[in-house]
Amino acid sequence: MKSASPPLMRRKLTPLENYFSVRLKKDLIRGLGKHSHHRAAVKMLPTFVRATPDGTEKGDYLALDLGGTNFRVLYVRVVEEQQKVVKMDSKICSIPQEMMLGTGEQLFDHIAQCLGEFLESQDLKGQTLPLGFTFSFPCEQKEIDKSILIRWTKGFSCSGVEGQDVVKLLKEAIHRRGDYDIGSVAMVNDTVGTMMSCGYRDQSCEIGMIIGTGTNACYMEEIKNVKRVEGEDGRMCINTEWGGFGDDGSLKDILTEFDEVVDQTSINPGVHTFEKMISGMYLGEIVRLLLVKMAEDKLLFKGETSEALLTPGQFETKYISEIEDGLENAQKILTALGLNWDPVDACVVRLVCDTISSRSARLCAAALATISNRIRVNRGLDHLKTTVGVDGTVYRKHPNFSEELQAAVRLLAPKCDITFLVSEDGSGKGAAMVTAVAQRIWLPGCMLSFIFLPIFVYI
Ligand code: BGC
């Protein structure tokens, strides 16, 4: 049984979260603006998804999922009777570090190879199942199957992909092989996939949030507020790309020296400031830098460090969850890191982990509360009842992250009654769900054009 660490239970909400809400609110509006979106730190990307599931969708789909160190191919079935997306089979291919930093051609050849092997193993070569591609990076969606990568995040930096159409690169890689072909492609961000897959179970799901290697959220916005898209009626899902919050310097006064080092030593300095304070790719490194500083200041480990503690990346984010889960874990991890610890050190390290994960949960809560409040005000409601589909290793695996985030959201958005629904493989199955919704609401033949209708986009 996991226990919440005592310091967490005693804390009260600080003004930090309110500060964030005010700033973020302005940035959301800037990102939606017709003329201001070009220089907006929070990109607020229109996804052209205009409808959430109603539970009547069905059919077989292929899904691709690229967003972290693994690439996955899935064969999924949407079963109407059970209101379920069932994974028939899947294959995982790891993406080696060199490939994350190599050329785009190498990356897409690898993806095409993985997909080819999967189709072969499932006897699906030659079939033209609709394919959903969850690509979890900021993209300017031009059409359902045309999505331009704005920039890489989360440790990826493949050359020749930024500014290019990702679907085109995938198709070119498949044609280079020449042994199979694919049918129609629907591109989705993982937040959108998460919202859509949760939306099948709970039709009031209108927000998708990821707190994993990276962080981001999407939500259903009134079209009349999306100034880059023509139209007055209805709603459209907006991929906020909130990880970029602060990239214009708006969070400078609350960044710590440790945040600054993490940014400077990352492969993309100055980019995704908010994400670097929050997500799994960076939390372990923030804790490591803090522990080194405390040891140097003779506050820990009798003033000594170890080779492992001094090596960037050696304090993994999963250690934070393990250490907060119990002191015994803390002791084992400190020993494995070659540190000469005493019982007080172990308690202090646990407190450091709690402080960093707690800050992350509260910042996310502030961002989520801002979005929920915005939806409520948009609709002229005194009280909003809504559901957030959520996924990501930090949210799922940390012993009290979700609890703390939810408590802070309740304080910051008291007029919003929010249900949190953990997505069952949203980024894998969600892309299939997007294609399924499209099939439900439009005639076969021009099926994908309704939910992804690019009426007119001002770029
Ligand atoms: C990307 C987002 C993605 C998030 C979570 C961020 O780095 O920019 O597009 O949704 O990570 O995977």
Side-chain angles (χ1 to χ4, degrees), residues 61-64 76 131-135 186-189 192-194 196-197 425-436:
Y61 303 88
L62 280 174
L64 309 184
V76 301
L131 184 146
F133 188 3
T134 306
F135 186 74
M187 285 287 293
V188 235
N189 185 263
V192 183
T194 297
M196 294 297 265
S197 66
D425 196 4
S427 58
K429 296 172 183 167
M433 204 62 236
V434 171
T435 353

Side-chain angles (χ1 to χ4, degrees), residues 29 32-34 50 219-238 374-380 455 458:
I29 295 167
L32 288 172
K34 187 167 163 182
R50 293 161 178 272
Y219 72 103
M220 295 305 285
E221 174 63 85
E222 309 303 308
I223 289 193
K224 64 177 186 311
N225 294 335
V226 189
K227 306 291 186 206
R228 307 161 65 183
V229 173
E230 240 180 31
E232 284 296 311
D233 302 326
R235 295 183 182 137
M236 181 180 282
C237 178
I238 296 294
R374 180 174 170 84
I375 297 178
R376 184 181 64 76
V377 173
N378 270 347
R379 298 185 191 169
I455 303 171
Y458 299 94

Side-chain angles (χ1 to χ4, degrees), residues 136-138 153-154 189-191 210 214-216 239 241 272 275:
S136 309
F137 301 93
T153 58
K154 295 179 288 194
N189 185 263
D190 52 354
T191 53
I210 305 281
T215 184
N216 190 14
N239 167 15
E241 288 293 337
H272 269 211
E275 174 161 286

Side-chain angles (χ1 to χ4, degrees), residues 301 315 319-337 339 341-343 345-351 353:
F301 317 129
F315 193 99
Y319 296 165
I320 299 180
S321 298
E322 290 167 10
I323 288 173
E324 285 189 59
D325 212 11
L327 267 180
E328 254 176 47
N329 295 342
Q331 295 167 353
K332 276 189 205 140
I333 289 168
L334 295 180
T335 303
L337 288 170
L339 291 159
W341 56 271
D342 66 25
D345 287 333
C347 292
V348 173
V349 169
R350 194 176 178 206
L351 189 57
C353 291

Side-chain angles (χ1 to χ4, degrees), residues 137-411:
F137 301 93
C139 286
E140 190 77 61
Q141 189 114 21
K142 302 278 187 190
E143 287 166 39
I144 180 165
D145 58 353
K146 189 166 184 199
S147 201
I148 312 292
L149 176 67
I150 297 174
R151 62 186 176 207
W152 286 114
T153 58
K154 295 179 288 194
F156 275 79
S157 180
C158 301
S159 59
V161 188
E162 288 182 349
Q164 300 298 312
D165 173 14
V166 176
V167 177
K168 188 165 164 265
L169 296 178
L170 173 69
K171 285 186 174 162
E172 282 171 1
I174 291 170
H175 291 155
R176 273 196 292 280
R177 291 172 58 89
D179 60 339
Y180 69 91
D181 210 348
I182 49 168
S184 61
V185 180
M187 285 287 293
V188 235
N189 185 263
D190 52 354
T191 53
V192 183
T194 297
M195 181 186 82
M196 294 297 265
S197 66
C198 286
Y200 200 51
R201 280 188 284 159
D202 175 348
Q203 274 119 50
S204 53
C205 183
E206 295 173 294
I207 303 178
M209 178 171 77
I210 305 281
I211 313 166
T213 310
T215 184
N216 190 14
C218 70
Y219 72 103
M220 295 305 285
E221 174 63 85
E222 309 303 308
I223 289 193
K224 64 177 186 311
N225 294 335
V226 189
K227 306 291 186 206
R228 307 161 65 183
V229 173
E230 240 180 31
E232 284 296 311
D233 302 326
R235 295 183 182 137
M236 181 180 282
C237 178
I238 296 294
N239 167 15
T240 66
E241 288 293 337
W242 75 19
F245 184 32
D247 288 1
D248 54 1
S250 69
L251 300 178
K252 217 171 173 47
D253 49 345
I254 58 160
L255 290 176
T256 65
E257 61 187 271
F258 311 104
D259 295 315
E260 271 155 22
V261 175
V262 164
D263 179 47
Q264 286 311 313
T265 53
S266 69
I267 60 163
N268 53 356
V271 166
H272 269 211
T273 309
F274 189 54
E275 174 161 286
K276 287 173 182 162
M277 297 172 86
I278 286 177
S279 74
M281 174 132 193
Y282 309 98
L283 290 183
E285 187 61 5
I286 300 176
V287 169
R288 185 189 73 80
L289 291 167
L290 250 153
L291 297 183
V292 169
K293 171 90 166 90
M294 290 175 81
E296 283 169 359
D297 290 350
K298 312 226 176 320
L299 297 169
L300 274 176
F301 317 129
K302 300 170 196 66
E304 287 167 26
T305 53
S306 68
E307 202 188 320
L309 190 69
L310 291 174
T311 310
Q314 285 296 296
F315 193 99
E316 296 179 41
T317 295
K318 70 172 185 199
Y319 296 165
I320 299 180
S321 298
E322 290 167 10
I323 288 173
E324 285 189 59
D325 212 11
L327 267 180
E328 254 176 47
N329 295 342
Q331 295 167 353
K332 276 189 205 140
I333 289 168
L334 295 180
T335 303
L337 288 170
L339 291 159
N340 183 9
W341 56 271
D342 66 25
V344 176
D345 287 333
C347 292
V348 173
V349 169
R350 194 176 178 206
L351 189 57
V352 170
C353 291
D354 176 57
T355 305
I356 296 307
S357 64
S358 208
R359 181 183 72 152
S360 163
R362 286 157 177 248
L363 292 177
C364 269
L368 181 61
T370 311
I371 286 178
S372 314
N373 279 326
R374 180 174 170 84
I375 297 178
R376 184 181 64 76
V377 173
N378 270 347
R379 298 185 191 169
L381 297 172
D382 188 47
H383 189 265
L384 174 78
K385 193 165 163 38
T386 193
T387 297
V388 180
V390 48
D391 207 348
T393 42
V394 174
Y395 187 90
R396 277 172 178 276
K397 303 249 166 91
H398 185 279
N400 42 42
F401 190 96
S402 56
E403 207 179 284
E404 180 151 27
L405 183 144
Q406 292 178 24
V409 172
R410 277 194 295 276
L411 282 173

